[in-house]
Amino acid sequence: MRKRFVQAENNIHKLSDTQAKKLLNEMQTYPLTPYLELEYLSKNLDDTAAVVNFMREHQGTPLERTIRKRWLIELKQKRQAELFLKNYEFGSDTVLDCYALEMRLVREKPVDVWPAVRDLWAVGKSQPDECDPIFERWRKAGQRNADAVWKRVMAAVEADNQRMLPYLRSLLPREQQYLADKWIQVMDNPALVQRKSFLTGKQAKERDLAAYGIQKLVWKKPDAAVEVWKKYRSDPAFSNENRSKTARQLAIALASKDDPAAKPFFAVVQNEHKDRLFVQWQLTHLLRKHDWAGLVDAIKALPEPYATEEGSLYWLARAQDELKQSQAAQLLYQDLAKKRSYYGYMAAARIGAEPSLAHRAVPVSETDYLAFKSSGPVRRIKEWQALDRPNAAKRELTSLQRYGSDLQRFSAAKYASELGWHDNAITALAQAGYYDDVELRFPTLYKKEIQAQAKKVNVDPAWAMAIARRESTFIPTAKSAVGALGLMQIMPNTARHITGKRVTEQQLYNPVTNINYGTYYLNYLLKKHGNVVFATAAYNAGPSRVNAWVPKDGQVPLDIWIETIPFKETRDYVKNVLMYYQVYSLKLQTNQQVFAPLARMQVGSGNRVL
């Protein structure tokens, strides 16, 4: 059957209807026959009932999405608006979105359609050529006015797409075209907004330019940016939105430079412009100053969901602890200590509670899982594997994880783990928002190899396993954008430094070799930096950066040091690895209290671990 399928795959579109139907009937029990049926149906898209039945039968699979797109394109060409709109969900495909708007014009008043066309046109990138007809009809209807063009100018600026501005300049009214020229200049040189003669003030839209320039200038010339801000902050034409967005950027940039001038800008930012990055730098600014009362006020003033995130609650508890509000702090610590997370484990350590895995297997019964494993998609996965087409097999599974029901997604994650596609299982559970199945999310892969190599260099195997989980999700052939390779993502230069000779990519893809180099390097960093947290940060950001981040005068609590790491990537990396370290300590049954010594540790230059 497999050989016949491969032959039919290339020839079914050449067969007559009689021949094709005979072939499909003869192969109806073969798992991959639906792919042949897909090609046959693609020649017969007029058969609406057959197409709809096929989509229903293969819902949530690549088969459904492929036939649906082909059918919708056919319906558009035949201007069958009712069928098209009934079977298309706007927002899933830009080309089809444009077709859908054309179909709506068949059935609706243009005035009801034009706003959606404007939203699709006024984006910061070029849209597909297939959208040109609907955009042209919209333009001829007089809808491409100055406001619409300006909206797209701002979208292009937001997307840092300077190449689009000369085209948009030509669409602006003559009296506004100079603004596009100035946008191009300011995108190249934000310092221009300092010049009194650069912005004349004759157009209110110049304030958008001023806001943009200040937000860019603050990263290179913070004092100059603050001076320009003073000029515009009370300008009636400087909108509240510009004022809030600009203050947000000033606050973040100045706080990242540890500049005390950041403080007043935090208070100007409106709730709708407070995001995770803003919250992080507001907390960092207050923590560096040990302003515990200010921290309590800031956290309580945060909008949802930021006020109730674990990080906010942990630092609220820490602040209350420092302010001798022990009862309130204890209640928060106790709730957090139930969590399997960086903040949960840190809270547990502060009150002497046992760290918990908080494991809950995905909610899939044995009966449901057996039914899943005998389902059509899984049968196709097995058959694609037998044909040595792993990409096709993974496409089937990924589709279920993304578009299937909760039961299908959870079952697919379990099945991915069974197949050894652990990275796929981990990603699928994250996409599904289910983080409590510790067995699927934290496999103990290469356990013997890691334990053996870690023992040789006196490194905790749970720490090494946490690094491997974070670096590659245990993919031995992983390769990063910067060229790090293998399980523990070793840079070739690092391997050369360790061995004293050139090491090939193929060698670094060998799991045992990679683990050997990775654990050796962890040992080196541990000796160099004196504690596991600095060593973890150095594994990600490099030893020299970590040395620069260590406090030069006195010591600070380690949890504050972690929270105030300047690089988001490294800050998140350290938190994740420490959490994984605790998880693997429990899973490997070493029962080490990873966070117990960290929760009250003080660190600083000259005396890094106290």
Side-chain angles (χ1 to χ4, degrees), residues 307-467:
T308 53
E309 287 184 340
E310 289 184 19
S312 298
L313 295 176
Y314 173 80
W315 287 113
L316 178 59
R318 281 280 278 115
Q320 290 171 334
D321 216 353
E322 295 288 340
L323 295 170
K324 309 303 180 186
Q325 300 170 9
S326 301
Q327 186 174 3
Q330 285 292 309
L331 290 173
L332 286 173
Y333 283 144
Q334 287 169 8
D335 282 343
L336 283 170
K338 301 170 186 175
K339 309 287 186 181
R340 181 197 58 260
S341 66
Y342 166 79
Y343 292 111
Y345 287 148
M346 194 67 83
R350 293 196 72 84
I351 60 175
E354 292 289 324
S356 171
L357 283 179
H359 168 67
R360 287 190 303 128
V362 289
V364 178
S365 70
E366 185 175 349
T367 301
D368 285 336
Y369 188 52
L370 288 173
F372 173 81
K373 290 177 71 173
S374 63
S375 66
V378 174
R379 291 174 62 224
R380 291 196 293 273
I381 289 168
K382 292 177 179 177
E383 198 59 29
W384 284 127
Q385 287 180 297
L387 287 169
D388 195 25
R389 297 196 198 175
N391 290 338
K394 283 196 172 185
R395 190 161 51 246
E396 287 273 3
L397 193 65
T398 301
S399 185
L400 286 175
Q401 292 167 338
R402 186 172 298 171
Y403 302 108
S405 65
D406 284 348
L407 179 60
Q408 286 176 316
R409 289 189 293 164
F410 295 149
S411 298
K414 284 188 68 170
Y415 190 60
S417 183
E418 275 188 26
L419 294 175
W421 300 344
H422 298 284
D423 60 313
N424 189 282
I426 291 166
T427 301
L429 290 178
Q431 289 175 338
Y434 194 90
Y435 297 97
D436 291 338
D437 194 317
V438 177
E439 294 304 313
L440 294 183
R441 292 190 62 228
F442 297 96
T444 51
L445 302 177
Y446 301 99
K447 177 180 174 181
K448 291 181 180 179
E449 293 86 348
I450 289 174
Q451 286 179 324
Q453 295 295 345
K455 184 177 180 180
K456 288 180 183 179
V457 293
N458 198 28
V459 162
D460 191 332
W463 180 35
M465 191 167 281
I467 293 284

Side-chain angles (χ1 to χ4, degrees), residues 3 14 26 46 77 81 116 118 138 160 169 254 256 292 315-316 354 397 407 421 433 578 600:
K3 186 175 180 180
K14 301 176 185 177
E26 291 172 351
D46 285 336
Q77 291 170 348
R118 170 179 162 141
W138 173 73
D160 200 26
R169 178 192 187 280
L254 293 170
S256 72
W292 300 110
W315 287 113
L316 178 59
E354 292 289 324
L397 193 65
L407 179 60
W421 300 344
L578 291 176
R600 300 185 185 278

Side-chain angles (χ1 to χ4, degrees), residues 55-92:
M55 290 192 298
R56 186 182 299 118
E57 183 179 353
H58 300 289
Q59 187 175 2
T61 71
L63 292 159
E64 180 206 3
R65 291 197 310 283
T66 302
I67 194 67
R68 185 183 296 275
K69 184 164 186 176
R70 292 177 183 177
W71 186 46
L72 288 168
I73 291 171
E74 177 83 359
L75 292 176
K76 185 266 176 185
Q77 291 170 348
K78 295 187 175 181
R79 302 191 67 76
Q80 295 185 30
E82 186 173 349
L83 263 180
F84 184 103
L85 294 171
K86 182 180 178 181
N87 288 278
Y88 178 62
E89 182 178 347
F90 195 85
S92 59

Side-chain angles (χ1 to χ4, degrees), residues 87-99:
N87 288 278
Y88 178 62
E89 182 178 347
F90 195 85
S92 59
D93 182 288
T94 302
V95 170
L96 294 180
D97 284 346
C98 290
Y99 291 166

Side-chain angles (χ1 to χ4, degrees), residues 139-296:
R139 182 193 68 79
K140 286 182 176 180
Q143 297 295 311
R144 197 180 68 189
N145 55 30
D147 286 342
V149 176
W150 189 254
K151 182 180 178 183
R152 194 168 194 185
V153 167
M154 298 303 292
V157 170
E158 186 76 21
D160 200 26
N161 187 358
Q162 190 180 123
R163 291 179 303 173
M164 186 180 267
L165 292 181
Y167 159 70
L168 295 175
R169 178 192 187 280
S170 69
L171 305 183
L172 286 167
R174 185 177 297 276
E175 67 274 13
Q176 292 184 15
Q177 289 181 354
Y178 81 99
L179 291 169
D181 296 330
K182 288 188 179 293
W183 269 117
I184 294 170
Q185 294 174 58
V186 172
M187 290 177 81
D188 287 332
N189 182 14
L192 288 172
V193 296
Q194 297 176 86
R195 298 181 184 176
K196 291 182 179 180
S197 60
F198 184 71
L199 296 177
T200 63
K202 64 182 180 181
Q203 291 264 356
K205 287 182 171 60
E206 288 188 15
R207 276 62 173 188
D208 294 336
L209 265 164
Y212 175 88
I214 295 168
Q215 291 172 40
K216 294 296 182 182
L217 184 62
V218 68
W219 293 100
K220 291 187 177 180
K221 296 182 177 180
D223 292 341
V226 171
E227 287 304 310
V228 181
W229 159 264
K230 290 177 181 177
K231 175 183 174 182
Y232 286 98
R233 65 183 174 186
S234 300
D235 185 341
F238 199 67
S239 68
N240 287 334
E241 182 178 12
N242 272 336
R243 192 170 289 107
S244 179
K245 284 184 174 180
T246 305
R248 172 192 172 277
Q249 194 75 344
L250 287 165
I252 291 170
L254 293 170
S256 72
K257 300 173 187 293
D258 200 13
D259 189 328
K263 182 178 180 179
F265 294 105
F266 286 107
V268 180
V269 181
Q270 298 169 354
N271 276 350
E272 58 264 35
H273 300 130
K274 292 180 180 178
D275 57 6
R276 192 161 280 104
L277 184 63
F278 171 86
V279 172
Q280 176 65 48
W281 283 109
Q282 186 177 30
L283 296 183
T284 296
H285 178 71
L286 294 166
L287 285 169
R288 282 173 173 164
K289 296 170 60 180
H290 290 203
D291 183 355
W292 300 110
L295 194 63
V296 170

Side-chain angles (χ1 to χ4, degrees), residues 538-551:
Y539 199 93
N540 175 261
S544 60
R545 285 201 179 107
V546 173
N547 287 336
W549 296 337
V550 174

